[in-house]
Amino acid sequence: MKNPLKSSSETNLPWWRRELRFLDRALNPLSRGLMLVAAVLFALVVLFPLWRITLVAPQYQEGLRLTIYAYQLVGGNGGQDLVEINNLNHYIGMKPIEESDFVEITWLPFVLGIFVILSLRAAVLGRISQVIDILVLFTYLGLFSLGLFYHRLYTYGHDLDPKAPMTIEPFTPVIIGKNKIANFVQWSYPSVGGWLMLLIPVVLVLAVWFSRKGRRA
């Protein structure tokens, strides 16, 4: 039985074109508010630390900490922890951890700024297709960044100098969780900025969900 509320031109469309017209629907005020929240979250990701790595050993019971921001690496204890980590890495033949190797921190703040602008644009112009675009692009950025992070950890742990004073089996530091490396225990977890990055897709999905039955723009 045909829906009397639908025009004949709409009912004559193929099903997949009718489904795609969902993307043309306007965002309601609640969804526009959520896009403003998303814009704020994107901005906060730049300010807060994304990831934190801690190494604990009997001789370092306080732990050696490395914090990763979107724009810099920060060693704990006023930077001295990173110096100590690199001194230890020297003994096992691992290359020093240097900020210049993390090329993504030169462009990640700029990319997050673009997401702020796109979120504000979606909040003003208000179409579901714009939110979907942001969600797809941000998901790609997240997966790409995690893949790049894993590749870098793998390279650090496997590209060891065979002439180093100490020889250990190649290893890959964990991205999330706990791992034992020689007499060190490594902890690696998202920090505030990382959790905010996980929250952003939820906000975007909610923005789409609350406008799924709205009118077309």
Side-chain angles (χ1 to χ4, degrees):
M1 180 178 181
K2 291 184 178 180
N3 187 340
L5 298 178
K6 291 185 177 179
S7 66
S8 58
S9 60
E10 185 172 349
T11 54
N12 290 333
L13 289 173
W15 67 267
W16 58 272
R17 290 191 62 183
R18 291 198 301 271
E19 293 299 322
L20 286 178
R21 297 186 75 175
F22 158 80
L23 300 176
D24 292 330
R25 287 180 177 153
L27 298 179
N28 62 25
L30 176 57
S31 294
R32 289 172 188 256
L34 286 170
M35 292 312 299
L36 291 176
V37 172
V40 172
L41 293 177
F42 278 122
L44 291 177
V45 167
V46 180
L47 302 177
F48 287 98
L50 298 174
W51 223 268
R52 181 161 288 133
I53 298 174
T54 304
L55 296 171
V56 178
Q59 65 272 41
Y60 297 101
Q61 295 189 7
E62 297 295 324
L64 300 173
R65 293 177 177 80
L66 176 63
T67 304
I68 302 172
Y69 287 78
Y71 60 94
Q72 66 175 348
L73 300 181
V74 178
N77 193 24
Q80 188 57 38
D81 284 0
L82 181 56
V83 174
E84 196 66 29
I85 290 172
N86 281 333
N87 287 337
L88 293 168
N89 288 344
H90 167 73
Y91 288 104
I92 62 173
M94 182 187 290
K95 64 178 293 189
I97 299 172
E98 297 177 343
E99 190 172 291
S100 57
D101 291 335
F102 290 71
V103 293
E104 61 270 30
I105 64 178
T106 61
W107 51 257
L108 187 54
F110 175 74
V111 171
L112 290 169
I114 291 176
F115 277 111
V116 172
I117 294 171
L118 291 176
S119 298
L120 294 174
R121 174 174 174 267
V124 174
L125 300 180
R127 293 178 61 181
I128 285 182
S129 60
Q130 294 163 342
V131 183
I132 297 291
D133 287 345
I134 296 171
L135 180 60
V136 171
L137 289 172
F138 187 65
T139 301
Y140 171 75
L141 173 67
L143 294 176
F144 177 79
S145 299
L146 277 177
L148 191 61
F149 190 19
Y150 176 81
H151 173 71
R152 181 162 292 110
L153 291 174
Y154 178 91
T155 303
Y156 272 115
H158 283 75
D159 190 13
L160 302 175
D161 185 352
K163 298 179 181 177
M166 291 179 59
T167 302
I168 66 171
E169 288 294 321
F171 62 97
T172 304
V174 293
I175 292 182
I176 298 178
K178 176 183 175 183
N179 187 31
K180 188 163 180 24
I181 306 170
N183 65 332
F184 280 85
V185 177
Q186 176 219 350
W187 302 82
S188 177
Y189 287 101
S191 193
V192 176
W195 291 115
L196 292 178
M197 289 188 75
L198 294 175
L199 178 62
I200 288 172
V202 176
V203 174
L204 296 176
V205 169
L206 288 176
V208 173
W209 177 261
F210 287 124
S211 293
R212 70 190 186 283
K213 294 182 180 178
R215 62 178 174 81
R216 287 195 295 273

